[in-house]
Amino acid sequence: MYITEFFAELGTDWVHDGSPRHRWVADVLEAMPAEPHGGPAQPPESFRRLIDCLMSPADALNEGPDQPNVVRGVPPTGLVKEIRVRLCSG
């Protein structure tokens, strides 16, 4: 799957511009929180869909489908790093 297709399936308008994938993904992840949302405690809908997709129980490795340890003790910057790794390693 191409990275543009991945983001299109999330219902976003992000289109990969041909730049290095890791940099492009980092730029998108930095821009997503600036999209309209209900307040500081609610991330934008596109970002929530991204997290839901990447944390799908079908993708769980070495733990049960409820993924009890998926974000335990991970600071937000660590979560963004994990998202970058998953998106850029394919």
Side-chain angles (χ1 to χ4, degrees), residues 30-51:
E30 290 171 15
M32 279 183 146
E35 294 175 354
H37 56 288
Q42 288 184 312
E45 181 62 30
S46 62
F47 195 71
R48 287 191 286 167
R49 288 190 307 263
L50 173 69
I51 298 297

Side-chain angles (χ1 to χ4, degrees), residues 14-43:
W14 293 102
V15 176
H16 185 228
D17 60 7
S19 62
R21 287 175 56 157
H22 70 280
R23 185 69 250 156
W24 185 84
V25 168
D27 290 344
V28 169
L29 292 177
E30 290 171 15
M32 279 183 146
E35 294 175 354
H37 56 288
Q42 288 184 312

Side-chain angles (χ1 to χ4, degrees), residues 5 7 10 12-13 16 19 33-35 45-46 50-51 62 66 68 74-75 77 80 82-83 88 90:
E5 291 176 58
F7 279 91
L10 293 175
T12 73
D13 295 326
H16 185 228
S19 62
E35 294 175 354
E45 181 62 30
S46 62
L50 173 69
I51 298 297
N62 302 318
D66 59 344
V74 177
T77 54
V80 169
E82 175 65 18
I83 292 169
C88 294

Side-chain angles (χ1 to χ4, degrees), residues 69-82:
N69 299 314
V70 75
V71 292
R72 182 176 299 161
V74 177
T77 54
L79 184 57
V80 169
K81 181 179 178 183
E82 175 65 18

